[in-house]
Amino acid sequence: MPLNRRNFLGRSAVAGAGVALAGGVSSGPAVASESKGHGHGRPPKRYSFTVMGTTDLHGNVFNWDYFTDSEFDDKAHNDVGLAKISTLVDQIREDRGRRNTLLIDAGDTIQGTQLSYYYAKIDPITAKRGPVHPMAQAMNRIGYDAAALGNHEFNYGIPVLRKFEEQCDFPLLGANALDAKTLRPAFAPYVIKRVRTPHGRDVRVAVLGLTNPGIAIWDKANVSGKMVFPGLEEQAAKWVPKLRSMGADVVIVSAHSGSSGTSSYGDQLPYVENAAGLVAEQVSGIDAILVGHAHSEIPEYFVTNKETGKRVVLSEPLKWGQRLTLFDFDLVWEKGRWVVEKVAASVLNSNTVEEDPRITSLLGDEHAKVVAYVNQVIGTSVAAMSTADAPWKDEPVIDLINLVQAETVKAALAGGEYGGLPVLSQAACFSRTAAIPAGEVTIKDAAGLYPFENTLEARLLTGAQLKDYLEYSARYYVQTAAGAPVDTSKLTNAESIPDYNYDVVSGVTYDIDIAKPVGSRIVGLSFEGAPVDPEAQFVFAVNNYRASGGGNFPHVPGAKQLWANSDEIRNTIIGWVQAKGSVDPAEFASVDWRLTRDGVPVF
């Protein structure tokens, strides 16, 4: 039977308790086989079952892009959304027998699309007699067995997360999300599912949920003093032996943490952000890890456990419901218990199937409301603006973001101790396809410039710190000798740095010499026509992700905070356009930075 936390747990006050479930999942043909020879001439009992996994769904139910108001598409023609995943899940349940399958998720569920934003902010699920979150409705209908907490679950505050948790018919797991005062789990750490076999002996499958320690930094405003998030390896080492001692035959970790062993928040926390591979290597007793957070596609990846020498399989399905992971387990009955003999992993592509009409019809009204919302006209623009060239040119559309941020901070600090200091602003190109059209501008146009739920802060920086910041950002470019041909498709994303971790800064002017090595690329850094004084003080308008260590940029996380607010930057942009009525790039567009080689502009 599905777990309903309202009935079973009440609130998260059960703290240290995990969740154990009896009874397999409905009916279906059994998957069992016999092999020859196993002592005494009798073949051993064998059983196979499949665990399906998704991750980083980010509010995608429909195969729809609310920022373009059209069917989702990308260069690889991927599809997105739970409606597609539902069709794949049904096919696997039909093929393997529903009782021989489980379905889990690795987090980042309730943030990312205008659909999820609408039900957190515009028609919030926390309102009295408020709606049921579309992601809860879809996941309940599909029949999820468990989901790990992602870091973006905390973006809208703990009350929204708790309401979502209450609306789900399955547990949200987070063994390393602890109550700050008691240090006991604030969510169920695990769930144990009993899968029926034809042999009269159930398989006890434990799913341990682990989330990302970076929550303490990225959502500090929402969790500080309320929850703490220790490292995944430490908590897995605590819980996996407990699960085995409780009789778990199979242990699966659902980890909202990439496999690379790296961190984007530097040394601000003593924990690793992308620790799934380390968990497999360091903690014995794990059979498989569903990996999330990194937005990578890893069909099957094996890590050898240092203590046992056993190979642990990892798989990460691509974000937004583009892929479904399958873990296929083969078990054998030995010495009075089920033993995992083999695990294989693979992924299915959701673009191979149609959307499940049960899901699209279930949430058709919600979808229509959000489409109407994003198409509201909020103003006009004199000219079209695009991010297509923003990764290598100073484009007016990025200037618009910086203008809005700088004006907001100036107004907030006016008349105060720091009101007389110059305000600089950072922005990144989040999407190379964002655009403001000439003519009518809608909510979706403005929101498309800023797809993340970041909020705005003001920090105090010196000229020397600003230079360091820009040098760090300029690592994004591949070193290209003077005179060598420039191919924009190969110029950016050096060291696999994503576009969102390349910042440009307005309010100063500078060149980036891409012929020079990393660390010595910023040339002619000036403020109001004069070289920037290393001792000079500036107010820096910066998003909370960067201010809290996201991307590991220098100085800003430790800099004095002068001001912060809780309104998403994208809403600030929407409000600014509404207030202005008409946007004219001629009023704010300027070339503050450019790429050069030995003083010669690249473009």
Side-chain angles (χ1 to χ4, degrees):
M1 75 180 180
L3 171 74
N4 186 321
R5 285 183 65 84
R6 281 164 288 186
N7 301 337
F8 190 83
L9 292 181
R11 300 307 295 155
S12 71
V14 287
V19 185
L21 275 183
V25 213
S26 63
S27 58
V31 179
S33 61
E34 308 223 331
S35 70
K36 296 172 187 172
H38 195 252
H40 310 298
R42 278 201 302 199
K45 296 169 184 169
R46 293 185 185 278
Y47 175 70
S48 299
F49 74 102
T50 298
V51 177
M52 298 173 280
T54 54
T55 192
D56 296 276
L57 292 167
H58 283 289
N60 285 281
V61 174
F62 295 83
N63 186 40
W64 194 258
D65 184 341
Y66 293 97
F67 293 128
T68 62
D69 197 21
S70 61
E71 187 174 324
F72 177 88
D73 196 24
D74 62 11
K75 287 180 185 172
H77 301 300
N78 287 301
D79 287 345
V80 300
L82 277 170
K84 292 265 182 174
I85 290 295
S86 183
T87 302
L88 289 175
V89 167
D90 279 351
Q91 288 181 354
I92 296 302
R93 286 172 175 162
E94 179 73 23
D95 180 62
R96 315 283 162 92
R98 176 159 185 154
R99 71 188 303 164
N100 306 308
T101 64
L102 296 172
L103 175 60
I104 63 175
D105 183 81
D108 275 6
T109 305
I110 60 170
Q111 173 278 336
T113 62
Q114 288 292 287
L115 180 74
S116 51
Y117 176 81
Y118 188 89
Y119 287 98
K121 292 285 191 175
I122 308 301
D123 185 11
I125 60 173
T126 47
K128 197 171 182 179
R129 289 190 287 279
V132 177
H133 199 289
M135 294 302 285
Q137 291 192 58
M139 294 173 84
N140 289 343
R141 175 65 65 91
I142 295 167
Y144 273 77
D145 293 292
L149 293 164
N151 53 288
H152 284 287
E153 259 64 87
F154 293 85
N155 286 174
Y156 296 117
I158 291 171
V160 169
L161 173 54
R162 287 299 189 198
K163 188 65 180 179
F164 174 70
E165 177 189 30
E166 182 186 311
Q167 293 177 343
C168 290
D169 294 339
F170 52 90
L172 300 183
L173 307 177
N176 62 327
L178 310 182
D179 181 278
K181 295 181 179 64
T182 66
L183 298 184
R184 290 170 64 81
F187 296 83
Y190 63 87
V191 62
I192 296 179
K193 305 286 290 187
R194 297 178 82 99
V195 180
R196 296 199 190 100
T197 77
H199 303 295
R201 302 279 189 167
D202 293 349
V203 178
R204 286 163 293 193
V205 183
V207 181
L208 178 68
L210 296 169
T211 193
N212 206 287
I215 295 165
I217 290 176
W218 304 320
D219 265 305
K220 184 178 180 180
N222 289 327
V223 301
S224 183
K226 298 171 185 172
M227 293 185 195
V228 293
F229 303 87
L232 285 86
E233 310 98 304
E234 165 198 321
Q235 293 300 303
K238 172 184 172 180
W239 285 102
V240 173
K242 285 185 181 179
L243 295 172
R244 289 292 183 185
S245 69
M246 290 164 63
D249 302 301
V250 177
V251 173
I252 300 165
V253 174
S254 184
H256 193 76
S257 179
S259 63
S260 63
T262 60
S263 282
S264 69
Y265 47 70
D267 58 2
Q268 292 180 80
L269 286 176
Y271 313 122
V272 176
E273 176 183 352
N274 295 304
L278 298 173
V279 170
E281 185 181 83
Q282 297 174 18
V283 181
S284 59
I286 297 168
D287 296 298
I289 300 180
L290 178 65
V291 177
H293 183 62
H295 290 200
S296 301
E297 182 176 345
I298 305 173
E300 183 182 60
Y301 174 57
F302 287 96
V303 173
T304 302
N305 183 268
K306 282 184 172 176
E307 185 183 336
T308 63
K310 179 185 158 189
R311 293 203 314 163
V312 182
V313 66
L314 283 67
S315 180
E316 181 175 6
L318 200 56
K319 65 185 185 297
W320 306 346
Q322 294 178 43
R323 303 288 184 275
L324 176 70
T325 277
L326 304 180
F327 290 110
D328 290 309
F329 288 85
D330 294 332
L331 277 59
V332 62
W333 183 261
E334 281 182 356
K335 298 177 182 171
R337 54 166 297 202
W338 289 109
V339 177
V340 174
E341 206 170 36
K342 180 170 173 270
V343 194
S346 57
V347 294
L348 300 179
N349 193 328
S350 65
N351 73 7
T352 61
V353 295
E354 296 299 315
E355 291 185 309
D356 183 346
R358 291 180 313 152
I359 303 300
T360 54
S361 62
L362 176 71
L363 294 164
D365 290 349
E366 287 85 344
H367 176 66
K369 278 184 192 173
V370 176
V371 168
Y373 163 73
V374 300
N375 280 290
Q376 290 177 34
V377 174
I378 54 172
T380 59
S381 178
V382 172
M385 295 179 280
S386 162
T387 56
D389 294 336
W392 49 84
K393 287 182 186 174
D394 188 344
E395 289 288 297
V397 74
I398 305 297
D399 293 339
L400 173 62
I401 297 172
N402 275 325
L403 173 70
V404 172
Q405 292 182 165
E407 284 192 358
T408 302
V409 166
K410 279 177 191 168
L413 297 180
E417 182 183 352
Y418 300 97
L421 289 179
V423 177
L424 313 180
S425 176
Q426 63 78 225
C429 174
F430 294 123
S431 164
R432 298 191 184 194
T433 58
I436 297 291
E440 290 186 339
V441 178
T442 63
I443 283 177
K444 75 171 187 287
D445 298 324
L449 299 182
Y450 222 107
F452 296 105
E453 277 17 311
N454 294 346
T455 57
L456 188 60
E457 296 192 14
R459 299 282 178 127
L460 189 64
L461 285 188
T462 66
Q465 290 173 328
L466 174 67
K467 173 92 164 19
D468 287 349
Y469 189 98
L470 291 169
E471 287 287 7
Y472 182 84
S473 186
R475 302 174 310 131
Y476 171 76
Y477 294 106
V478 174
Q479 190 171 359
T480 310
V486 174
D487 178 353
T488 55
S489 70
K490 297 174 182 171
L491 179 64
T492 62
N493 308 99
E495 302 175 40
S496 299
I497 296 168
D499 292 347
Y500 64 76
N501 274 342
Y502 169 61
D503 284 0
V504 300
V505 173
S506 73
V508 288
T509 57
Y510 57 97
D511 289 347
I512 302 172
D513 192 329
I514 59 172
K516 289 187 163 68
V518 166
S520 56
R521 291 180 168 177
I522 302 302
V523 179
L525 178 60
S526 302
F527 173 70
E528 294 183 342
V532 166
D533 178 353
E535 303 296 319
Q537 288 193 314
F538 296 94
V539 175
F540 196 47
V542 59
N543 69 54
N544 68 307
Y545 174 76
R546 195 67 82 233
S548 60
N552 202 22
F553 277 63
H555 305 306
V556 173
K560 181 181 178 66
Q561 185 189 75
L562 309 179
W563 172 85
N565 79 352
S566 59
D567 196 24
E568 285 90 356
I569 291 168
R570 105 171 129 216
N571 276 350
T572 306
I573 296 170
I574 290 167
W576 188 91
V577 173
Q578 282 176 316
K580 288 280 287 185
S582 179
V583 178
D584 184 357
E587 294 178 1
F588 57 80
S590 62
V591 178
D592 296 328
W593 64 275
R594 60 182 184 168
L595 300 186
T596 61
R597 290 182 295 184
D598 295 346
V600 179
V602 175
F603 300 106

